[in-house]
Amino acid sequence: MKRKFITGIVCGALVAVFLFGCGAFTDSGETENNSSVYSSEAESSGTSAGDTSEEASYSQDFFAMDTYMTLTAYGENAQAAVEAGIEEINRLDALLSTGDEDSEIYQINEAGGGELSDETAYLVRRSLDVYESTGGLYDISIYPVMDLWGFTHADEDAFAVPEESVLEETLKLVDAGKITLTENEDGVTVLSMEEGMEIDLGGIVKGYADDRIAEIFAEYGVESGIINLGGSVRVVGEKTDGSLWRVGIQDPEDSSGYLGGLELSDISVVTSGGYERYFDDEETGVRYHHIIDPRTGSSAYNGLISVSIISEDGTLADALSTALFIMGTEEAIDYCEEHCAEDGFDVLMETEDGDIYITDNIEDCFIDLNGNTELHVIGTR
């Protein structure tokens, strides 16, 4: 008998935006913030936003990409912006879903390759860039192993510990380095991969959707809002009263508590943790979660229990939150020291021992919600 438990939102760590002022810093010196909204009016998605001024606002909860989401906008065109954002989410879901037989990704997996739309080609290239940068720890070809564990299914009865021999054979299919992209005579990108390989862009698509909706909000003149996509959240601009947002990040050990917060504006925060989606094997007493280490084919237990990436580039933040979680503490610190400044992101991480690491660029933005938090600062500047 296996048991599944999903905390808060399906496939998404809880990040909460508190509705009072503050902000984190970008290269321009402005403050930034990203996460889900917490208020006394929180609804089924776990997030909602109250109006922070007399300005008109519109908020909509909905379900897409296997998680609950909330879009909130302030201003004259708030409703139109939110509705356009939801339409965009549904479009991306239909395009990139691994389970929808009409999706481009499903058809690519069935055929073992083929022509890509410009958008899918862009996301595959971004994924392969992160694959190279992280030494293969972000790998979109992990899908067959995820499926073997049952993490690609909504039905909890599908969760199971695979036989070691089957896992070893399936793991041979995991290597995004074997994916090639070429252009045909018509200038269309063509993906090729070895027989049996399958790809999944689920580890990057919500971050990309975050970026796209921010663009849509800008097109509608929305200068203040919250894009909460379940584990991937962006705050747009500042609050309508000119103050900054506060972003609280859930304590992995306490679903009702927070490990800390950040004062931010105009930025994305993407959090990954093993507490998001998991099951307990009653025969062994081992807990298995959905973040799979491509080196082992099993759940990543390398010392970290929560990783939040803070960046204006939601696409990058989504992929890196998974990769750094898999790296473990020391490797993740080394990666941050080398890449944060150049690639434009910051990090807040918690270890299984309860230590919190934060990059120096956002140290002054940290909010100690527990009253005695000691930070380990990672030098990146």
Short mmCIF file of all heavy atoms in Angstrom, two decimals, residues 129-176:
data_model
loop_
_atom_site.label_atom_id
_atom_site.label_comp_id
_atom_site.label_asym_id
_atom_site.label_seq_id
_atom_site.Cartn_x
_atom_site.Cartn_y
_atom_site.Cartn_z
N ASP A 129 20.42 24.52 -22.54
CA ASP A 129 21.42 25.44 -21.97
C ASP A 129 21.61 25.18 -20.48
O ASP A 129 22.74 25.14 -19.98
CB ASP A 129 20.99 26.89 -22.19
CG ASP A 129 21.14 27.34 -23.64
OD1 ASP A 129 21.83 26.65 -24.41
OD2 ASP A 129 20.53 28.38 -23.99
N VAL A 130 20.49 25.03 -19.76
CA VAL A 130 20.58 24.76 -18.32
C VAL A 130 21.15 23.37 -18.07
O VAL A 130 21.89 23.16 -17.10
CB VAL A 130 19.19 24.93 -17.65
CG1 VAL A 130 19.29 24.64 -16.15
CG2 VAL A 130 18.66 26.35 -17.87
N TYR A 131 20.82 22.43 -18.93
CA TYR A 131 21.41 21.08 -18.85
C TYR A 131 22.93 21.17 -18.88
O TYR A 131 23.64 20.57 -18.05
CB TYR A 131 20.88 20.23 -20.00
CG TYR A 131 21.60 18.91 -20.20
CD1 TYR A 131 21.23 17.78 -19.48
CD2 TYR A 131 22.65 18.80 -21.11
CE1 TYR A 131 21.88 16.57 -19.66
CE2 TYR A 131 23.31 17.60 -21.31
CZ TYR A 131 22.92 16.49 -20.58
OH TYR A 131 23.58 15.29 -20.76
N GLU A 132 23.45 21.92 -19.83
CA GLU A 132 24.91 22.09 -19.96
C GLU A 132 25.48 22.82 -18.75
O GLU A 132 26.51 22.43 -18.18
CB GLU A 132 25.25 22.84 -21.24
CG GLU A 132 24.95 22.09 -22.51
CD GLU A 132 25.87 20.89 -22.72
OE1 GLU A 132 26.97 20.88 -22.13
OE2 GLU A 132 25.49 19.97 -23.47
N SER A 133 24.82 23.90 -18.35
CA SER A 133 25.31 24.72 -17.25
C SER A 133 25.37 23.97 -15.93
O SER A 133 26.27 24.20 -15.11
CB SER A 133 24.42 25.96 -17.10
OG SER A 133 24.75 26.70 -15.96
N THR A 134 24.42 23.07 -15.71
CA THR A 134 24.33 22.35 -14.43
C THR A 134 24.93 20.96 -14.49
O THR A 134 24.71 20.15 -13.58
CB THR A 134 22.85 22.24 -13.99
OG1 THR A 134 22.10 21.50 -14.98
CG2 THR A 134 22.24 23.61 -13.80
N GLY A 135 25.68 20.67 -15.52
CA GLY A 135 26.31 19.36 -15.62
C GLY A 135 25.31 18.22 -15.77
O GLY A 135 25.55 17.11 -15.30
N GLY A 136 24.18 18.51 -16.42
CA GLY A 136 23.19 17.49 -16.69
C GLY A 136 22.16 17.28 -15.60
O GLY A 136 21.34 16.36 -15.71
N LEU A 137 22.15 18.12 -14.56
CA LEU A 137 21.21 17.91 -13.46
C LEU A 137 19.81 18.43 -13.77
O LEU A 137 18.85 18.01 -13.11
CB LEU A 137 21.75 18.54 -12.18
CG LEU A 137 23.03 17.90 -11.66
CD1 LEU A 137 23.39 18.47 -10.30
CD2 LEU A 137 22.90 16.38 -11.58
N TYR A 138 19.68 19.32 -14.73
CA TYR A 138 18.35 19.64 -15.24
C TYR A 138 18.22 18.95 -16.59
O TYR A 138 18.89 19.31 -17.56
CB TYR A 138 18.14 21.15 -15.41
CG TYR A 138 16.76 21.44 -15.97
CD1 TYR A 138 15.63 21.31 -15.17
CD2 TYR A 138 16.59 21.80 -17.29
CE1 TYR A 138 14.36 21.52 -15.69
CE2 TYR A 138 15.32 22.01 -17.81
CZ TYR A 138 14.22 21.87 -17.01
OH TYR A 138 12.96 22.07 -17.52
N ASP A 139 17.38 17.92 -16.66
CA ASP A 139 17.35 17.05 -17.83
C ASP A 139 15.90 16.80 -18.25
O ASP A 139 15.15 16.11 -17.56
CB ASP A 139 18.04 15.72 -17.51
CG ASP A 139 18.37 14.91 -18.74
OD1 ASP A 139 17.56 14.93 -19.68
OD2 ASP A 139 19.42 14.24 -18.76
N ILE A 140 15.50 17.35 -19.39
CA ILE A 140 14.12 17.20 -19.84
C ILE A 140 13.82 15.79 -20.35
O ILE A 140 12.66 15.45 -20.60
CB ILE A 140 13.77 18.22 -20.94
CG1 ILE A 140 14.71 18.07 -22.15
CG2 ILE A 140 13.79 19.63 -20.38
CD1 ILE A 140 14.31 18.95 -23.33
N SER A 141 14.85 14.94 -20.46
CA SER A 141 14.61 13.55 -20.89
C SER A 141 14.37 12.62 -19.71
O SER A 141 14.35 11.40 -19.88
CB SER A 141 15.80 13.04 -21.74
OG SER A 141 16.97 12.90 -20.95
N ILE A 142 14.14 13.18 -18.52
CA ILE A 142 13.89 12.38 -17.32
C ILE A 142 12.49 11.76 -17.35
O ILE A 142 12.16 10.90 -16.51
CB ILE A 142 14.05 13.25 -16.05
CG1 ILE A 142 14.17 12.41 -14.78
CG2 ILE A 142 12.90 14.24 -15.92
CD1 ILE A 142 15.41 11.60 -14.68
N TYR A 143 11.67 12.13 -18.29
CA TYR A 143 10.26 11.72 -18.30
C TYR A 143 10.03 10.22 -18.17
O TYR A 143 9.18 9.79 -17.38
CB TYR A 143 9.57 12.25 -19.56
CG TYR A 143 8.08 11.95 -19.59
CD1 TYR A 143 7.19 12.70 -18.85
CD2 TYR A 143 7.58 10.89 -20.36
CE1 TYR A 143 5.83 12.43 -18.86
CE2 TYR A 143 6.22 10.61 -20.38
CZ TYR A 143 5.35 11.38 -19.63
OH TYR A 143 4.01 11.09 -19.64
N PRO A 144 10.74 9.33 -18.88
CA PRO A 144 10.48 7.90 -18.73
C PRO A 144 10.69 7.40 -17.30
O PRO A 144 9.98 6.51 -16.84
CB PRO A 144 11.49 7.25 -19.70
CG PRO A 144 11.74 8.30 -20.72
CD PRO A 144 11.73 9.59 -19.97
N VAL A 145 11.66 7.97 -16.59
CA VAL A 145 11.90 7.57 -15.20
C VAL A 145 10.79 8.11 -14.30
O VAL A 145 10.30 7.41 -13.41
CB VAL A 145 13.28 8.05 -14.72
CG1 VAL A 145 13.46 7.81 -13.23
CG2 VAL A 145 14.38 7.32 -15.51
N MET A 146 10.39 9.36 -14.52
CA MET A 146 9.28 9.94 -13.76
C MET A 146 8.03 9.08 -13.94
O MET A 146 7.29 8.82 -12.98
CB MET A 146 9.00 11.37 -14.23
CG MET A 146 10.11 12.35 -13.94
SD MET A 146 10.12 12.89 -12.22
CE MET A 146 8.61 13.85 -12.16
N ASP A 147 7.80 8.64 -15.16
CA ASP A 147 6.63 7.82 -15.46
C ASP A 147 6.72 6.47 -14.76
O ASP A 147 5.72 5.94 -14.27
CB ASP A 147 6.52 7.63 -16.97
CG ASP A 147 5.19 7.05 -17.39
OD1 ASP A 147 4.15 7.61 -17.02
OD2 ASP A 147 5.19 6.01 -18.09
N LEU A 148 7.93 5.94 -14.68
CA LEU A 148 8.14 4.65 -14.02
C LEU A 148 7.77 4.73 -12.54
O LEU A 148 7.20 3.78 -11.98
CB LEU A 148 9.61 4.23 -14.19
CG LEU A 148 9.99 2.80 -13.84
CD1 LEU A 148 9.27 1.81 -14.75
CD2 LEU A 148 11.50 2.61 -13.96
N TRP A 149 8.08 5.82 -11.90
CA TRP A 149 7.74 6.02 -10.49
C TRP A 149 6.26 6.36 -10.29
O TRP A 149 5.75 6.34 -9.18
CB TRP A 149 8.58 7.15 -9.89
CG TRP A 149 10.00 6.76 -9.58
CD1 TRP A 149 11.08 6.87 -10.39
CD2 TRP A 149 10.48 6.23 -8.35
NE1 TRP A 149 12.22 6.43 -9.76
CE2 TRP A 149 11.88 6.04 -8.49
CE3 TRP A 149 9.88 5.91 -7.14
CZ2 TRP A 149 12.67 5.53 -7.48
CZ3 TRP A 149 10.67 5.39 -6.12
CH2 TRP A 149 12.05 5.20 -6.29
N GLY A 150 5.59 6.74 -11.37
CA GLY A 150 4.18 7.11 -11.29
C GLY A 150 3.94 8.57 -11.07
O GLY A 150 2.79 9.01 -10.92
N PHE A 151 4.99 9.40 -11.05
CA PHE A 151 4.83 10.81 -10.75
C PHE A 151 4.21 11.60 -11.91
O PHE A 151 3.88 12.78 -11.74
CB PHE A 151 6.17 11.43 -10.36
CG PHE A 151 6.63 11.04 -8.99
CD1 PHE A 151 7.86 10.42 -8.82
CD2 PHE A 151 5.85 11.28 -7.88
CE1 PHE A 151 8.31 10.06 -7.55
CE2 PHE A 151 6.28 10.92 -6.60
CZ PHE A 151 7.51 10.30 -6.45
N THR A 152 4.06 10.97 -13.07
CA THR A 152 3.41 11.65 -14.19
C THR A 152 1.90 11.43 -14.18
O THR A 152 1.19 11.96 -15.03
CB THR A 152 3.96 11.14 -15.53
OG1 THR A 152 3.69 9.73 -15.64
CG2 THR A 152 5.46 11.37 -15.61
N HIS A 153 1.41 10.66 -13.19
CA HIS A 153 -0.01 10.32 -13.13
C HIS A 153 -0.70 11.05 -11.98
O HIS A 153 -0.10 11.32 -10.94
CB HIS A 153 -0.18 8.81 -12.92
CG HIS A 153 0.46 7.98 -14.00
ND1 HIS A 153 -0.21 7.57 -15.12
CD2 HIS A 153 1.73 7.50 -14.13
CE1 HIS A 153 0.59 6.87 -15.89
NE2 HIS A 153 1.79 6.81 -15.31
N ALA A 154 -1.98 11.36 -12.18
CA ALA A 154 -2.77 11.99 -11.12
C ALA A 154 -3.24 10.96 -10.11
O ALA A 154 -3.47 11.29 -8.94
CB ALA A 154 -3.96 12.72 -11.72
N ASP A 155 -3.37 9.71 -10.53
CA ASP A 155 -3.87 8.64 -9.67
C ASP A 155 -2.77 8.19 -8.71
O ASP A 155 -1.72 7.72 -9.13
CB ASP A 155 -4.34 7.47 -10.53
CG ASP A 155 -4.98 6.36 -9.71
OD1 ASP A 155 -5.02 6.47 -8.47
OD2 ASP A 155 -5.41 5.36 -10.33
N GLU A 156 -3.04 8.29 -7.40
CA GLU A 156 -2.04 7.92 -6.42
C GLU A 156 -1.71 6.43 -6.45
O GLU A 156 -0.65 6.01 -6.00
CB GLU A 156 -2.50 8.30 -5.01
CG GLU A 156 -3.73 7.58 -4.53
CD GLU A 156 -4.16 8.05 -3.15
OE1 GLU A 156 -4.67 9.17 -3.05
OE2 GLU A 156 -3.98 7.28 -2.20
N ASP A 157 -2.60 5.62 -6.99
CA ASP A 157 -2.32 4.18 -7.09
C ASP A 157 -1.20 3.88 -8.07
O ASP A 157 -0.66 2.78 -8.08
CB ASP A 157 -3.59 3.43 -7.51
CG ASP A 157 -4.65 3.44 -6.42
OD1 ASP A 157 -4.27 3.56 -5.23
OD2 ASP A 157 -5.84 3.34 -6.74
N ALA A 158 -0.86 4.86 -8.91
CA ALA A 158 0.23 4.67 -9.87
C ALA A 158 1.59 4.81 -9.22
O ALA A 158 2.60 4.35 -9.76
CB ALA A 158 0.10 5.68 -11.01
N PHE A 159 1.67 5.42 -8.03
CA PHE A 159 2.93 5.60 -7.35
C PHE A 159 3.48 4.25 -6.90
O PHE A 159 2.77 3.48 -6.24
CB PHE A 159 2.79 6.50 -6.13
CG PHE A 159 2.51 7.94 -6.47
CD1 PHE A 159 2.00 8.80 -5.51
CD2 PHE A 159 2.76 8.45 -7.72
CE1 PHE A 159 1.75 10.14 -5.80
CE2 PHE A 159 2.52 9.77 -8.04
CZ PHE A 159 2.01 10.61 -7.07
N ALA A 160 4.73 3.98 -7.22
CA ALA A 160 5.33 2.70 -6.83
C ALA A 160 6.84 2.78 -6.97
O ALA A 160 7.37 3.51 -7.81
CB ALA A 160 4.79 1.57 -7.70
N VAL A 161 7.54 2.02 -6.14
CA VAL A 161 8.99 1.91 -6.25
C VAL A 161 9.30 0.92 -7.37
O VAL A 161 8.90 -0.25 -7.28
CB VAL A 161 9.62 1.43 -4.93
CG1 VAL A 161 11.13 1.33 -5.08
CG2 VAL A 161 9.25 2.37 -3.79
N PRO A 162 9.97 1.33 -8.43
CA PRO A 162 10.23 0.42 -9.54
C PRO A 162 11.27 -0.64 -9.19
O PRO A 162 12.11 -0.44 -8.30
CB PRO A 162 10.76 1.35 -10.63
CG PRO A 162 11.32 2.52 -9.90
CD PRO A 162 10.48 2.69 -8.67
N GLU A 163 11.20 -1.76 -9.90
CA GLU A 163 12.21 -2.79 -9.73
C GLU A 163 13.56 -2.23 -10.18
O GLU A 163 13.65 -1.49 -11.16
CB GLU A 163 11.86 -4.02 -10.55
CG GLU A 163 10.62 -4.74 -10.09
CD GLU A 163 10.35 -6.00 -10.90
OE1 GLU A 163 11.25 -6.40 -11.68
OE2 GLU A 163 9.27 -6.58 -10.76
N GLU A 164 14.61 -2.57 -9.44
CA GLU A 164 15.93 -2.00 -9.70
C GLU A 164 16.39 -2.25 -11.13
O GLU A 164 16.95 -1.37 -11.78
CB GLU A 164 16.94 -2.57 -8.71
CG GLU A 164 18.31 -1.92 -8.82
CD GLU A 164 19.26 -2.38 -7.73
OE1 GLU A 164 18.80 -3.06 -6.78
OE2 GLU A 164 20.46 -2.07 -7.82
N SER A 165 16.16 -3.47 -11.63
CA SER A 165 16.62 -3.79 -12.99
C SER A 165 15.88 -2.97 -14.03
O SER A 165 16.48 -2.51 -15.02
CB SER A 165 16.42 -5.29 -13.27
OG SER A 165 15.05 -5.65 -13.15
N VAL A 166 14.58 -2.76 -13.81
CA VAL A 166 13.79 -1.95 -14.74
C VAL A 166 14.24 -0.49 -14.68
O VAL A 166 14.36 0.18 -15.71
CB VAL A 166 12.29 -2.07 -14.42
CG1 VAL A 166 11.47 -1.18 -15.35
CG2 VAL A 166 11.83 -3.52 -14.53
N LEU A 167 14.50 -0.01 -13.48
CA LEU A 167 14.97 1.36 -13.32
C LEU A 167 16.30 1.57 -14.02
O LEU A 167 16.51 2.59 -14.71
CB LEU A 167 15.10 1.71 -11.83
CG LEU A 167 15.58 3.12 -11.50
CD1 LEU A 167 14.66 4.18 -12.10
CD2 LEU A 167 15.71 3.30 -9.99
N GLU A 168 17.20 0.62 -13.89
CA GLU A 168 18.51 0.73 -14.53
C GLU A 168 18.38 0.82 -16.05
O GLU A 168 19.07 1.60 -16.71
CB GLU A 168 19.39 -0.46 -14.14
CG GLU A 168 19.86 -0.42 -12.69
CD GLU A 168 20.69 -1.64 -12.34
OE1 GLU A 168 20.83 -2.54 -13.21
OE2 GLU A 168 21.20 -1.71 -11.20
N GLU A 169 17.49 0.02 -16.62
CA GLU A 169 17.29 0.04 -18.07
C GLU A 169 16.64 1.35 -18.51
O GLU A 169 17.04 1.93 -19.53
CB GLU A 169 16.41 -1.14 -18.50
CG GLU A 169 17.14 -2.48 -18.51
CD GLU A 169 18.35 -2.47 -19.46
OE1 GLU A 169 18.17 -2.07 -20.64
OE2 GLU A 169 19.44 -2.83 -19.00
N THR A 170 15.67 1.80 -17.76
CA THR A 170 14.98 3.05 -18.11
C THR A 170 15.90 4.24 -17.98
O THR A 170 15.83 5.18 -18.79
CB THR A 170 13.74 3.24 -17.21
OG1 THR A 170 12.92 2.08 -17.28
CG2 THR A 170 12.93 4.45 -17.65
N LEU A 171 16.79 4.20 -17.00
CA LEU A 171 17.71 5.31 -16.78
C LEU A 171 18.67 5.50 -17.97
O LEU A 171 19.17 6.61 -18.19
CB LEU A 171 18.51 5.08 -15.50
CG LEU A 171 19.29 6.25 -14.92
CD1 LEU A 171 18.38 7.46 -14.67
CD2 LEU A 171 20.00 5.84 -13.63
N LYS A 172 18.87 4.45 -18.75
CA LYS A 172 19.73 4.56 -19.94
C LYS A 172 19.12 5.49 -20.98
O LYS A 172 19.83 5.97 -21.88
CB LYS A 172 19.95 3.17 -20.54
CG LYS A 172 20.76 2.23 -19.65
CD LYS A 172 20.88 0.85 -20.28
CE LYS A 172 21.65 -0.11 -19.37
NZ LYS A 172 21.75 -1.48 -19.96
N LEU A 173 17.81 5.73 -20.88
CA LEU A 173 17.14 6.62 -21.82
C LEU A 173 17.28 8.09 -21.44
O LEU A 173 16.87 8.97 -22.20
CB LEU A 173 15.64 6.27 -21.90
CG LEU A 173 15.29 4.85 -22.35
CD1 LEU A 173 13.80 4.61 -22.20
CD2 LEU A 173 15.73 4.64 -23.79
N VAL A 174 17.83 8.35 -20.26
CA VAL A 174 17.90 9.72 -19.75
C VAL A 174 19.26 10.33 -20.05
O VAL A 174 20.27 9.99 -19.44
CB VAL A 174 17.63 9.75 -18.23
CG1 VAL A 174 17.73 11.18 -17.70
CG2 VAL A 174 16.27 9.16 -17.93
N ASP A 175 19.29 11.24 -20.99
CA ASP A 175 20.50 11.98 -21.33
C ASP A 175 20.14 13.03 -22.37
O ASP A 175 20.13 12.75 -23.57
CB ASP A 175 21.59 11.07 -21.87
CG ASP A 175 22.90 11.82 -22.11
OD1 ASP A 175 22.92 13.05 -21.96
OD2 ASP A 175 23.90 11.17 -22.48
N ALA A 176 19.85 14.23 -21.92
CA ALA A 176 19.46 15.30 -22.84
C ALA A 176 20.60 15.67 -23.78
O ALA A 176 20.36 16.32 -24.81
CB ALA A 176 19.01 16.53 -22.06
#
